Amino acid sequence: MKLTTLLVAASCFTAQAFSPQSSTKSPVNNAAINSPLRKQAPSTTSVLFRDPSLTRGGAVPGWAAYNEALDKNPITAKACTSFVGFFLGDLLAQLFITKGPLDVKRLIVLSVFGFIYHGPSGHFFYNWLDSKIPGTEAKSVFTKVFIDQVFWCPIFMTVFFSYLGLANGDGLAAIGNKIKADLFSAVQGSW
């Protein structure tokens, strides 16, 4: 019953965040929206995603509303996306990998991390990275992936381990020891 309640609540929250809303406001003028990368994305160029007359509601239901949310409230949209991603990722891991009883606290802790840190920090970091290294040619992509994996990943993993430690009530010394013991292997796992 608790799992059903969590799933329904998460679905309602996400649906509310991404539902299309009529507005008389002027269009959003944001560098991320007007980015050349966004203009080349399949979700922008493919008629399947943009023309509801070809497929009922587009190829992916809710895609237009999601893109509208990204345009109007990018941080909120990305925070909610990360919340859902962390929620589903941990739920599936618990159901199919650990196969034990559902650890609701763990599910909530990881989902909240996605919402409060992963989505917003990713928004700012990747927009900054795209502004410093524009383009999608091989050299630009390689450089971005290198910076992401060598610099951003260790920072992200340090924050992640710290958050988990604090959520579990660990002291700073225990969190520091966890980071020293597991950071490099966690970063390698990302590679």
Side-chain angles (χ1 to χ4, degrees):
M1 184 63 180
K2 290 180 185 179
L3 174 62
T4 305
T5 304
L6 283 172
L7 288 173
V8 170
S11 298
C12 292
F13 179 68
T14 304
Q16 180 185 14
F18 297 133
S19 63
Q21 300 171 359
S22 60
S23 174
T24 57
K25 293 180 184 176
S26 61
V28 178
N29 187 11
N30 183 329
I33 295 169
N34 300 320
S35 163
L37 293 175
R38 178 152 181 154
K39 291 176 182 166
Q40 297 170 7
S43 62
T44 305
T45 58
S46 171
V47 292
L48 289 176
F49 287 104
R50 294 293 180 182
D51 189 351
S53 65
L54 294 176
T55 55
R56 189 172 148 212
V60 179
W63 195 255
Y66 179 72
N67 279 312
E68 184 179 331
L70 283 172
D71 292 343
K72 292 182 177 180
N73 301 303
I75 297 170
T76 303
K78 291 172 186 178
C80 291
T81 301
S82 289
F83 175 87
V84 171
F86 272 76
F87 179 88
L88 291 175
D90 188 54
L91 179 65
L92 293 172
Q94 288 191 49
L95 292 176
F96 297 109
I97 297 173
T98 59
K99 297 181 181 179
L102 186 67
D103 184 348
V104 177
K105 180 186 175 202
R106 177 180 127 174
L107 188 66
I108 292 170
V109 165
L110 289 172
S111 300
V112 168
F113 177 80
F115 183 79
I116 65 172
Y117 183 75
H118 182 261
S121 68
H123 167 81
F124 289 110
F125 174 73
Y126 293 111
N127 280 345
W128 173 83
L129 190 59
D130 283 339
S131 74
K132 300 300 177 197
I133 307 169
T136 57
E137 64 278 350
K139 182 180 177 185
S140 295
V141 171
F142 176 80
T143 304
K144 290 178 199 182
V145 170
F146 178 81
I147 290 170
D148 173 65
Q149 292 299 303
V150 173
F151 297 106
W152 178 247
C153 186
I155 294 168
F156 175 82
M157 290 295 185
T158 300
V159 172
F160 183 68
F161 288 146
S162 300
Y163 170 81
L164 290 180
L166 291 171
N168 287 328
D170 297 341
L172 295 180
I175 294 170
N177 290 335
K178 172 74 172 168
I179 291 168
K180 287 177 191 172
D182 294 344
L183 180 63
F184 188 67
S185 62
V187 170
Q188 280 182 314
S190 177
W191 297 342

